[in-house]
Amino acid sequence: MMRVLIVAASLLALAGCTTPGGPLPDDPYYAPVYPDLPPTQVVTTGSIYQDTFSNELYSDIKAHRVGDVITVNLVESTKAKKSATNEMSKDNSMSLDPISAGGAPITINGQTIDLNYKEKLDLSKEADADQSNSLDGSISVNVLQVLSNGNLVIRGEKWITINDGEEYIRLTGLIRPRDIKPDNTVESTRVANARIQYSGTGTFAESQKTGWLAAFFSGPLWPF
């Protein structure tokens, strides 16, 4: 009885250690970025014009300040294929004629003393891997920082609640103002140092994961 209790406690401890903790919405790291309010100044001329928020008459309305919103079009597509073949062959043979003395073979219990040994080894291995991924959609993010060379650091997330689960997209990276289109969008392929996460939480997402017991039996620790 004591052994059963020990095994049960060990399994519960293992399950507690391997329970995954997924991301949560409203992560402070992905919180919206708001621009700093300009200091209140006494306008001696009576004008309400502020040059920090001005645009040229014929300029496009593009994100260029901290807190501005820009839409990133996700057009990611990757494909990888790899194959390998290894072959090895080895032959060994050795023979020894019957030992004789005085022209007559030496025998032991009527059997001649000779040797005939052959060995052959053939080994062939083949491995193939083919993987492709694609991601289409869009996400609006904030400008987090404007670098000295004019490049923009962007970051943002999108959460979608579907039934009992949630899906999310998170994106961070670096873009050039010249890559921003007139409609204030940019392709994800133009985002440098991009970090794109697309996953989900909830019952449906958990059902797609391998259980801790199945992962243990299919892992490198089994068999011992």
Side-chain angles (χ1 to χ4, degrees):
M1 182 64 181
M2 183 60 68
R3 180 178 299 178
V4 175
L5 292 177
I6 294 176
V7 173
S10 300
L11 292 176
L12 289 175
L14 181 60
C17 293
T18 57
T19 301
L24 298 174
D26 300 327
D27 188 338
Y29 182 78
Y30 290 93
V33 180
Y34 301 102
D36 295 331
L37 295 177
T40 303
Q41 298 179 354
V42 178
V43 182
T44 56
T45 61
S47 173
I48 60 174
Y49 170 79
Q50 297 182 13
D51 57 355
T52 57
F53 290 90
S54 63
N55 285 310
E56 296 180 4
L57 182 60
Y58 300 102
S59 64
D60 298 321
I61 304 177
K62 298 180 181 180
H64 62 280
R65 297 186 299 259
V66 173
D68 284 355
V69 177
I70 182 173
T71 300
V72 180
N73 294 324
L74 303 174
V75 289
E76 296 297 320
S77 178
T78 59
K79 186 175 182 180
K81 186 174 182 180
K82 181 179 180 181
S83 62
T85 302
N86 295 323
E87 294 183 359
M88 183 177 68
S89 178
K90 181 180 180 181
D91 292 329
N92 290 323
S93 63
M94 182 176 64
S95 62
L96 178 65
D97 295 333
I99 301 176
S100 61
I106 301 176
T107 61
I108 299 178
N109 294 330
Q111 300 292 330
T112 59
I113 303 176
D114 59 0
L115 176 65
N116 190 1
Y117 171 77
K118 292 184 178 180
E119 178 185 9
K120 185 176 181 180
L121 176 64
D122 290 323
L123 180 62
S124 178
K125 294 183 178 180
E126 184 175 352
D128 293 315
D130 192 355
Q131 181 179 3
S132 61
N133 298 279
S134 63
L135 180 61
D136 296 324
S138 62
I139 177 176
S140 294
V141 298
N142 278 125
V143 175
L144 180 67
Q145 182 181 1
V146 180
L147 303 181
S148 58
N149 60 355
N151 291 342
L152 309 177
V153 180
I154 59 174
R155 183 171 69 196
E157 65 176 356
K158 176 194 291 186
W159 285 80
I160 304 174
T161 301
I162 303 176
N163 296 331
D164 294 333
E166 293 181 313
E167 294 186 357
Y168 69 91
I169 303 175
R170 286 176 170 174
L171 184 145
T172 62
L174 184 68
I175 60 175
R176 300 183 304 175
R178 70 182 66 179
D179 294 329
I180 303 176
K181 297 181 179 180
D183 60 351
N184 198 39
T185 63
V186 65
E187 305 292 330
S188 61
T189 54
R190 297 287 186 176
V191 181
N193 198 30
R195 298 292 185 271
I196 303 175
Q197 301 179 34
Y198 174 60
S199 187
T201 62
T203 305
F204 181 77
E206 292 296 331
S207 65
Q208 306 299 313
K209 299 180 180 179
T210 304
W212 63 268
L213 187 59
F216 171 76
F217 285 112
S218 61
L221 297 179
W222 184 268
F224 300 102

